[in-house]
């Protein structure tokens, strides 16, 4: 078994083709967050997205703010000390481990993503607090057992103890041949009572035409987007105990004083639902 502290050394260092000649959802998201890990093709895709959905950058920032609030809740109020974040994306500080280890330095975090672009940046930027553990594994959400049985995950997380599973803005990107409900159920099935699920998911409840245009643009470039209604997103939490205020648009989920500008947004400005729930 790979020792947790050796995860970076164990990761293959072969050259990675980042395909900078075509847009990539993770880099477009990074651009909307103010990051610099993007290229002309990504900037063009961002322009097309903004033309159809002018508040796309606001949506990205509010999604990120939800992640940070959910992580703080899970670490500070729910007392969770282990986190499995799938669909990590390009690192953007503060990352999940920075948020939770600021509260609990001993927290352990495993990031999982199937994308070599993310791998290239995570090697350098997902560095744990010395009192905790942080690992990155390259694995595919479409194949949950590939993640759950990964030796680096098993070296960092104790799956006999509660784990927070975070799926932030990733499930709606799954290819249509995969059942996201079955995937979430399989992942949660391996986690004990007291574990949590936190997720965000794009919806077409408010701006269906704009969401359809954005989806078509990404489909044309090889990325699938599947928006869902609130009732459909709530299905991911079946059998779990939802944390107050339940499933909400992300900027209405436990907002705090750090969310500058969120109070000026209407309920329909950010077509993204978010929630957290406990396995009981």
């Amino acid at each position: 078994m790979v020792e947790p502290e050796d995860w970076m050394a164990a990761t293959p260092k072969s050259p990675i083709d980042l395909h900078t000649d075509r847009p990539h959802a993770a880099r477009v998201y990074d651009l909307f967050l103010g990051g610099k890990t993007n290229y002309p093709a990504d900037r063009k895709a961002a322009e097309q997205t903004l033309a159809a959905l002018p508040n796309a950058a606001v949506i990205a920032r509010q999604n990120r703010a939800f992640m940070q609030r959910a992580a703080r809740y899970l670490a500070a109020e729910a007392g969770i000390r282990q986190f499995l974040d799938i669909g990590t994306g390009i690192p953007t500080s503060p990352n999940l481990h920075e948020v939770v280890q600021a509260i609990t330095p001993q927290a352990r975090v495993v990031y999982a993503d199937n994308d070599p672009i993310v791998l290239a940046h995570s090697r350098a930027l997902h560095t744990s607090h010395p009192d905790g553990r942080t690992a990155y594994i390259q694995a595919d959400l479409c194949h949950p057992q590939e993640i759950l049985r990964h030796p680096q995950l098993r070296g960092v997380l104790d799956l006999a103890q509660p784990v927070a599973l975070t799926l932030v803005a990733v499930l709606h990107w799954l290819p249509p041949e995969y059942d996201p409900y079955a995937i979430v159920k399989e992942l949660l099935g391996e986690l004990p009572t007291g574990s949590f699920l936190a997720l965000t998911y794009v919806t077409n409840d408010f701006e269906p035409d704009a969401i359809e245009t954005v989806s078509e643009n990404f489909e044309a470039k090889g990325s699938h987007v599947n928006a869902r209604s609130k009732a459909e997103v709530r299905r991911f939490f079946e059998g779990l105990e939802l944390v107050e205020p339940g499933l909400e648009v992300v900027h209405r989920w436990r907002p705090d004083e750090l969310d500058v500008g969120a109070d000026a947004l209407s309920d329909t400005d950010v077509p993204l639902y978010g929630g957290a729930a406990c396995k009981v």
Side-chain angles (χ1 to χ4, degrees), residues 174-210:
L174 290 179
E177 63 267 27
Y178 292 96
D179 180 354
Y181 298 109
I183 288 172
V184 171
K185 184 176 182 180
E186 185 173 352
L187 288 165
L188 287 172
E190 296 279 342
L191 305 182
T193 298
S195 295
F196 279 78
L197 168 66
L199 63 78
T200 64
Y201 200 106
V202 70
T203 183
N204 52 10
D205 282 352
F206 313 133
E207 301 181 76
D209 292 341

mmCIF file of all heavy atoms in Angstrom, residues 174-210:
data_model
loop_
_atom_site.group_PDB
_atom_site.id
_atom_site.type_symbol
_atom_site.label_atom_id
_atom_site.label_comp_id
_atom_site.label_asym_id
_atom_site.label_seq_id
_atom_site.Cartn_x
_atom_site.Cartn_y
_atom_site.Cartn_z
ATOM 1 N N LEU A 174 -21.900 14.275 -15.884
ATOM 2 C CA LEU A 174 -21.749 12.854 -16.191
ATOM 3 C C LEU A 174 -22.321 12.520 -17.564
ATOM 4 O O LEU A 174 -23.367 13.044 -17.944
ATOM 5 C CB LEU A 174 -22.452 12.004 -15.136
ATOM 6 C CG LEU A 174 -21.823 11.965 -13.741
ATOM 7 C CD1 LEU A 174 -22.664 11.093 -12.825
ATOM 8 C CD2 LEU A 174 -20.393 11.454 -13.803
ATOM 9 N N PRO A 175 -21.665 11.646 -18.312
ATOM 10 C CA PRO A 175 -22.203 11.212 -19.611
ATOM 11 C C PRO A 175 -23.592 10.593 -19.430
ATOM 12 O O PRO A 175 -23.886 9.994 -18.385
ATOM 13 C CB PRO A 175 -21.179 10.173 -20.085
ATOM 14 C CG PRO A 175 -19.919 10.517 -19.364
ATOM 15 C CD PRO A 175 -20.347 11.034 -18.021
ATOM 16 N N PRO A 176 -24.454 10.714 -20.424
ATOM 17 C CA PRO A 176 -25.849 10.281 -20.271
ATOM 18 C C PRO A 176 -26.025 8.790 -20.018
ATOM 19 O O PRO A 176 -27.058 8.363 -19.500
ATOM 20 C CB PRO A 176 -26.498 10.705 -21.597
ATOM 21 C CG PRO A 176 -25.358 10.857 -22.558
ATOM 22 C CD PRO A 176 -24.192 11.310 -21.746
ATOM 23 N N GLU A 177 -25.034 7.980 -20.378
ATOM 24 C CA GLU A 177 -25.178 6.536 -20.175
ATOM 25 C C GLU A 177 -24.968 6.117 -18.718
ATOM 26 O O GLU A 177 -25.179 4.946 -18.365
ATOM 27 C CB GLU A 177 -24.214 5.762 -21.082
ATOM 28 C CG GLU A 177 -22.734 6.012 -20.825
ATOM 29 C CD GLU A 177 -22.165 7.119 -21.709
ATOM 30 O OE1 GLU A 177 -22.950 8.011 -22.124
ATOM 31 O OE2 GLU A 177 -20.943 7.084 -21.980
ATOM 32 N N TYR A 178 -24.564 7.052 -17.849
ATOM 33 C CA TYR A 178 -24.355 6.727 -16.437
ATOM 34 C C TYR A 178 -25.485 7.305 -15.590
ATOM 35 O O TYR A 178 -25.953 8.423 -15.830
ATOM 36 C CB TYR A 178 -23.005 7.273 -15.955
ATOM 37 C CG TYR A 178 -21.835 6.560 -16.585
ATOM 38 C CD1 TYR A 178 -21.206 7.081 -17.719
ATOM 39 C CD2 TYR A 178 -21.358 5.362 -16.058
ATOM 40 C CE1 TYR A 178 -20.138 6.426 -18.308
ATOM 41 C CE2 TYR A 178 -20.290 4.704 -16.639
ATOM 42 C CZ TYR A 178 -19.687 5.231 -17.765
ATOM 43 O OH TYR A 178 -18.633 4.584 -18.345
ATOM 44 N N ASP A 179 -25.900 6.551 -14.584
ATOM 45 C CA ASP A 179 -26.990 6.944 -13.697
ATOM 46 C C ASP A 179 -26.408 7.639 -12.462
ATOM 47 O O ASP A 179 -25.813 6.972 -11.607
ATOM 48 C CB ASP A 179 -27.780 5.704 -13.271
ATOM 49 C CG ASP A 179 -28.943 6.034 -12.338
ATOM 50 O OD1 ASP A 179 -29.081 7.217 -11.929
ATOM 51 O OD2 ASP A 179 -29.696 5.110 -12.002
ATOM 52 N N PRO A 180 -26.550 8.963 -12.350
ATOM 53 C CA PRO A 180 -25.932 9.662 -11.219
ATOM 54 C C PRO A 180 -26.519 9.255 -9.871
ATOM 55 O O PRO A 180 -25.813 9.253 -8.862
ATOM 56 C CB PRO A 180 -26.194 11.139 -11.527
ATOM 57 C CG PRO A 180 -27.386 11.137 -12.418
ATOM 58 C CD PRO A 180 -27.274 9.890 -13.232
ATOM 59 N N TYR A 181 -27.815 8.909 -9.844
ATOM 60 C CA TYR A 181 -28.425 8.486 -8.586
ATOM 61 C C TYR A 181 -27.794 7.182 -8.093
ATOM 62 O O TYR A 181 -27.511 7.027 -6.896
ATOM 63 C CB TYR A 181 -29.930 8.300 -8.764
ATOM 64 C CG TYR A 181 -30.667 9.553 -9.161
ATOM 65 C CD1 TYR A 181 -31.198 9.703 -10.435
ATOM 66 C CD2 TYR A 181 -30.830 10.608 -8.257
ATOM 67 C CE1 TYR A 181 -31.876 10.860 -10.806
ATOM 68 C CE2 TYR A 181 -31.508 11.766 -8.626
ATOM 69 C CZ TYR A 181 -32.027 11.880 -9.899
ATOM 70 O OH TYR A 181 -32.692 13.023 -10.267
ATOM 71 N N ALA A 182 -27.591 6.245 -8.999
ATOM 72 C CA ALA A 182 -26.977 4.970 -8.627
ATOM 73 C C ALA A 182 -25.539 5.167 -8.167
ATOM 74 O O ALA A 182 -25.079 4.504 -7.232
ATOM 75 C CB ALA A 182 -27.029 4.003 -9.813
ATOM 76 N N ILE A 183 -24.829 6.102 -8.800
ATOM 77 C CA ILE A 183 -23.444 6.361 -8.428
ATOM 78 C C ILE A 183 -23.367 6.944 -7.018
ATOM 79 O O ILE A 183 -22.553 6.514 -6.190
ATOM 80 C CB ILE A 183 -22.787 7.294 -9.463
ATOM 81 C CG1 ILE A 183 -22.539 6.531 -10.770
ATOM 82 C CG2 ILE A 183 -21.475 7.878 -8.923
ATOM 83 C CD1 ILE A 183 -22.082 7.385 -11.918
ATOM 84 N N VAL A 184 -24.226 7.911 -6.718
ATOM 85 C CA VAL A 184 -24.228 8.502 -5.377
ATOM 86 C C VAL A 184 -24.612 7.457 -4.341
ATOM 87 O O VAL A 184 -23.995 7.372 -3.260
ATOM 88 C CB VAL A 184 -25.191 9.710 -5.319
ATOM 89 C CG1 VAL A 184 -25.365 10.195 -3.884
ATOM 90 C CG2 VAL A 184 -24.662 10.845 -6.194
ATOM 91 N N LYS A 185 -25.607 6.633 -4.649
ATOM 92 C CA LYS A 185 -26.032 5.587 -3.723
ATOM 93 C C LYS A 185 -24.897 4.600 -3.458
ATOM 94 O O LYS A 185 -24.688 4.170 -2.311
ATOM 95 C CB LYS A 185 -27.248 4.857 -4.293
ATOM 96 C CG LYS A 185 -27.827 3.811 -3.356
ATOM 97 C CD LYS A 185 -29.093 3.197 -3.938
ATOM 98 C CE LYS A 185 -29.694 2.174 -2.974
ATOM 99 N NZ LYS A 185 -30.949 1.568 -3.539
ATOM 100 N N GLU A 186 -24.148 4.251 -4.492
ATOM 101 C CA GLU A 186 -23.037 3.310 -4.325
ATOM 102 C C GLU A 186 -21.939 3.905 -3.441
ATOM 103 O O GLU A 186 -21.388 3.230 -2.577
ATOM 104 C CB GLU A 186 -22.473 2.920 -5.688
ATOM 105 C CG GLU A 186 -21.391 1.860 -5.626
ATOM 106 C CD GLU A 186 -20.963 1.356 -6.992
ATOM 107 O OE1 GLU A 186 -21.615 1.727 -7.994
ATOM 108 O OE2 GLU A 186 -19.976 0.596 -7.064
ATOM 109 N N LEU A 187 -21.641 5.179 -3.659
ATOM 110 C CA LEU A 187 -20.616 5.836 -2.838
ATOM 111 C C LEU A 187 -21.056 5.902 -1.376
ATOM 112 O O LEU A 187 -20.290 5.564 -0.468
ATOM 113 C CB LEU A 187 -20.347 7.239 -3.373
ATOM 114 C CG LEU A 187 -19.577 7.323 -4.695
ATOM 115 C CD1 LEU A 187 -19.697 8.731 -5.287
ATOM 116 C CD2 LEU A 187 -18.113 6.951 -4.504
ATOM 117 N N LEU A 188 -22.303 6.329 -1.141
ATOM 118 C CA LEU A 188 -22.797 6.447 0.230
ATOM 119 C C LEU A 188 -22.912 5.084 0.904
ATOM 120 O O LEU A 188 -22.774 4.974 2.127
ATOM 121 C CB LEU A 188 -24.153 7.144 0.241
ATOM 122 C CG LEU A 188 -24.137 8.646 -0.043
ATOM 123 C CD1 LEU A 188 -25.568 9.164 -0.185
ATOM 124 C CD2 LEU A 188 -23.413 9.409 1.062
ATOM 125 N N GLY A 189 -23.147 4.054 0.107
ATOM 126 C CA GLY A 189 -23.279 2.712 0.667
ATOM 127 C C GLY A 189 -22.023 2.224 1.345
ATOM 128 O O GLY A 189 -22.076 1.336 2.208
ATOM 129 N N GLU A 190 -20.876 2.787 0.982
ATOM 130 C CA GLU A 190 -19.598 2.390 1.573
ATOM 131 C C GLU A 190 -19.249 3.225 2.808
ATOM 132 O O GLU A 190 -18.245 2.958 3.466
ATOM 133 C CB GLU A 190 -18.486 2.544 0.531
ATOM 134 C CG GLU A 190 -18.617 1.647 -0.674
ATOM 135 C CD GLU A 190 -18.121 0.235 -0.407
ATOM 136 O OE1 GLU A 190 -17.381 0.038 0.564
ATOM 137 O OE2 GLU A 190 -18.489 -0.668 -1.196
ATOM 138 N N LEU A 191 -20.064 4.251 3.090
ATOM 139 C CA LEU A 191 -19.750 5.161 4.190
ATOM 140 C C LEU A 191 -20.658 4.861 5.384
ATOM 141 O O LEU A 191 -21.826 4.515 5.212
ATOM 142 C CB LEU A 191 -19.919 6.611 3.742
ATOM 143 C CG LEU A 191 -19.126 7.027 2.505
ATOM 144 C CD1 LEU A 191 -19.359 8.503 2.199
ATOM 145 C CD2 LEU A 191 -17.641 6.734 2.676
ATOM 146 N N PRO A 192 -20.149 5.020 6.600
ATOM 147 C CA PRO A 192 -20.922 4.653 7.787
ATOM 148 C C PRO A 192 -21.959 5.697 8.170
ATOM 149 O O PRO A 192 -21.955 6.831 7.673
ATOM 150 C CB PRO A 192 -19.841 4.529 8.862
ATOM 151 C CG PRO A 192 -18.814 5.535 8.457
ATOM 152 C CD PRO A 192 -18.786 5.468 6.953
ATOM 153 N N THR A 193 -22.833 5.308 9.089
ATOM 154 C CA THR A 193 -23.781 6.247 9.691
ATOM 155 C C THR A 193 -23.010 7.428 10.282
ATOM 156 O O THR A 193 -21.932 7.252 10.859
ATOM 157 C CB THR A 193 -24.573 5.545 10.808
ATOM 158 O OG1 THR A 193 -25.323 4.475 10.221
ATOM 159 C CG2 THR A 193 -25.521 6.507 11.503
ATOM 160 N N GLY A 194 -23.587 8.619 10.126
ATOM 161 C CA GLY A 194 -22.903 9.829 10.586
ATOM 162 C C GLY A 194 -22.134 10.527 9.490
ATOM 163 O O GLY A 194 -21.647 11.646 9.687
ATOM 164 N N SER A 195 -22.022 9.882 8.318
ATOM 165 C CA SER A 195 -21.381 10.520 7.168
ATOM 166 C C SER A 195 -22.336 11.544 6.555
ATOM 167 O O SER A 195 -23.535 11.547 6.834
ATOM 168 C CB SER A 195 -20.985 9.469 6.123
ATOM 169 O OG SER A 195 -19.982 8.601 6.627
ATOM 170 N N PHE A 196 -21.795 12.400 5.701
ATOM 171 C CA PHE A 196 -22.589 13.455 5.076
ATOM 172 C C PHE A 196 -22.394 13.440 3.565
ATOM 173 O O PHE A 196 -21.339 13.033 3.059
ATOM 174 C CB PHE A 196 -22.177 14.831 5.597
ATOM 175 C CG PHE A 196 -22.784 15.203 6.921
ATOM 176 C CD1 PHE A 196 -22.272 14.683 8.099
ATOM 177 C CD2 PHE A 196 -23.874 16.069 6.995
ATOM 178 C CE1 PHE A 196 -22.820 15.017 9.326
ATOM 179 C CE2 PHE A 196 -24.433 16.411 8.212
ATOM 180 C CZ PHE A 196 -23.910 15.886 9.382
ATOM 181 N N LEU A 197 -23.420 13.913 2.869
ATOM 182 C CA LEU A 197 -23.353 14.203 1.434
ATOM 183 C C LEU A 197 -23.607 15.688 1.254
ATOM 184 O O LEU A 197 -24.591 16.223 1.778
ATOM 185 C CB LEU A 197 -24.413 13.409 0.671
ATOM 186 C CG LEU A 197 -24.659 13.815 -0.793
ATOM 187 C CD1 LEU A 197 -23.432 13.517 -1.644
ATOM 188 C CD2 LEU A 197 -25.895 13.109 -1.349
ATOM 189 N N ALA A 198 -22.727 16.373 0.544
ATOM 190 C CA ALA A 198 -22.943 17.768 0.170
ATOM 191 C C ALA A 198 -22.743 17.880 -1.333
ATOM 192 O O ALA A 198 -21.755 17.355 -1.870
ATOM 193 C CB ALA A 198 -21.981 18.694 0.908
ATOM 194 N N LEU A 199 -23.671 18.545 -2.018
ATOM 195 C CA LEU A 199 -23.552 18.648 -3.471
ATOM 196 C C LEU A 199 -24.201 19.914 -3.987
ATOM 197 O O LEU A 199 -25.019 20.540 -3.317
ATOM 198 C CB LEU A 199 -24.156 17.415 -4.152
ATOM 199 C CG LEU A 199 -25.648 17.098 -4.000
ATOM 200 C CD1 LEU A 199 -26.536 17.970 -4.906
ATOM 201 C CD2 LEU A 199 -25.915 15.642 -4.332
ATOM 202 N N THR A 200 -23.807 20.282 -5.207
ATOM 203 C CA THR A 200 -24.517 21.305 -5.970
ATOM 204 C C THR A 200 -24.812 20.728 -7.345
ATOM 205 O O THR A 200 -24.097 19.850 -7.844
ATOM 206 C CB THR A 200 -23.718 22.615 -6.114
ATOM 207 O OG1 THR A 200 -22.522 22.361 -6.881
ATOM 208 C CG2 THR A 200 -23.344 23.179 -4.754
ATOM 209 N N TYR A 201 -25.895 21.253 -7.960
ATOM 210 C CA TYR A 201 -26.346 20.699 -9.237
ATOM 211 C C TYR A 201 -27.073 21.797 -10.013
ATOM 212 O O TYR A 201 -27.910 22.518 -9.464
ATOM 213 C CB TYR A 201 -27.289 19.513 -8.990
ATOM 214 C CG TYR A 201 -27.428 18.591 -10.170
ATOM 215 C CD1 TYR A 201 -26.818 17.342 -10.179
ATOM 216 C CD2 TYR A 201 -28.168 18.966 -11.291
ATOM 217 C CE1 TYR A 201 -26.941 16.491 -11.274
ATOM 218 C CE2 TYR A 201 -28.296 18.133 -12.379
ATOM 219 C CZ TYR A 201 -27.673 16.894 -12.367
ATOM 220 O OH TYR A 201 -27.788 16.062 -13.452
ATOM 221 N N VAL A 202 -26.773 21.896 -11.302
ATOM 222 C CA VAL A 202 -27.385 22.926 -12.136
ATOM 223 C C VAL A 202 -28.851 22.595 -12.409
ATOM 224 O O VAL A 202 -29.225 21.429 -12.543
ATOM 225 C CB VAL A 202 -26.613 23.092 -13.461
ATOM 226 C CG1 VAL A 202 -26.791 21.903 -14.387
ATOM 227 C CG2 VAL A 202 -27.036 24.379 -14.175
ATOM 228 N N THR A 203 -29.680 23.636 -12.455
ATOM 229 C CA THR A 203 -31.107 23.447 -12.700
ATOM 230 C C THR A 203 -31.583 24.287 -13.881
ATOM 231 O O THR A 203 -31.031 25.345 -14.173
ATOM 232 C CB THR A 203 -31.933 23.831 -11.448
ATOM 233 O OG1 THR A 203 -33.316 23.562 -11.709
ATOM 234 C CG2 THR A 203 -31.780 25.313 -11.097
ATOM 235 N N ASN A 204 -32.619 23.795 -14.537
ATOM 236 C CA ASN A 204 -33.274 24.565 -15.599
ATOM 237 C C ASN A 204 -34.626 25.097 -15.129
ATOM 238 O O ASN A 204 -35.486 25.447 -15.933
ATOM 239 C CB ASN A 204 -33.447 23.716 -16.865
ATOM 240 C CG ASN A 204 -34.120 22.386 -16.579
ATOM 241 O OD1 ASN A 204 -34.637 22.153 -15.483
ATOM 242 N ND2 ASN A 204 -34.108 21.493 -17.559
ATOM 243 N N ASP A 205 -34.812 25.189 -13.814
ATOM 244 C CA ASP A 205 -36.078 25.676 -13.263
ATOM 245 C C ASP A 205 -36.319 27.154 -13.574
ATOM 246 O O ASP A 205 -37.473 27.586 -13.671
ATOM 247 C CB ASP A 205 -36.104 25.491 -11.738
ATOM 248 C CG ASP A 205 -36.403 24.064 -11.319
ATOM 249 O OD1 ASP A 205 -36.745 23.243 -12.193
ATOM 250 O OD2 ASP A 205 -36.284 23.766 -10.107
ATOM 251 N N PHE A 206 -35.255 27.943 -13.698
ATOM 252 C CA PHE A 206 -35.414 29.393 -13.779
ATOM 253 C C PHE A 206 -35.157 29.962 -15.175
ATOM 254 O O PHE A 206 -35.883 30.827 -15.642
ATOM 255 C CB PHE A 206 -34.472 30.087 -12.794
ATOM 256 C CG PHE A 206 -34.487 29.480 -11.418
ATOM 257 C CD1 PHE A 206 -33.306 29.200 -10.765
ATOM 258 C CD2 PHE A 206 -35.680 29.186 -10.788
ATOM 259 C CE1 PHE A 206 -33.323 28.638 -9.495
ATOM 260 C CE2 PHE A 206 -35.708 28.631 -9.523
ATOM 261 C CZ PHE A 206 -34.522 28.348 -8.874
ATOM 262 N N GLU A 207 -34.101 29.508 -15.825
ATOM 263 C CA GLU A 207 -33.715 30.041 -17.135
ATOM 264 C C GLU A 207 -33.505 28.891 -18.115
ATOM 265 O O GLU A 207 -32.382 28.651 -18.570
ATOM 266 C CB GLU A 207 -32.441 30.880 -17.012
ATOM 267 C CG GLU A 207 -32.557 32.061 -16.048
ATOM 268 C CD GLU A 207 -31.279 32.869 -15.980
ATOM 269 O OE1 GLU A 207 -31.019 33.633 -16.923
ATOM 270 O OE2 GLU A 207 -30.550 32.725 -14.985
ATOM 271 N N PRO A 208 -34.561 28.168 -18.450
ATOM 272 C CA PRO A 208 -34.399 26.956 -19.273
ATOM 273 C C PRO A 208 -33.777 27.212 -20.637
ATOM 274 O O PRO A 208 -32.960 26.415 -21.106
ATOM 275 C CB PRO A 208 -35.829 26.415 -19.395
ATOM 276 C CG PRO A 208 -36.723 27.576 -19.082
ATOM 277 C CD PRO A 208 -35.972 28.403 -18.085
ATOM 278 N N ASP A 209 -34.139 28.327 -21.284
ATOM 279 C CA ASP A 209 -33.592 28.594 -22.614
ATOM 280 C C ASP A 209 -32.087 28.866 -22.536
ATOM 281 O O ASP A 209 -31.308 28.374 -23.364
ATOM 282 C CB ASP A 209 -34.310 29.785 -23.252
ATOM 283 C CG ASP A 209 -35.760 29.477 -23.587
ATOM 284 O OD1 ASP A 209 -36.107 28.277 -23.677
ATOM 285 O OD2 ASP A 209 -36.548 30.424 -23.744
ATOM 286 N N ALA A 210 -31.677 29.666 -21.563
ATOM 287 C CA ALA A 210 -30.253 29.981 -21.411
ATOM 288 C C ALA A 210 -29.464 28.730 -21.071
ATOM 289 O O ALA A 210 -28.378 28.492 -21.622
ATOM 290 C CB ALA A 210 -30.060 31.046 -20.333
#
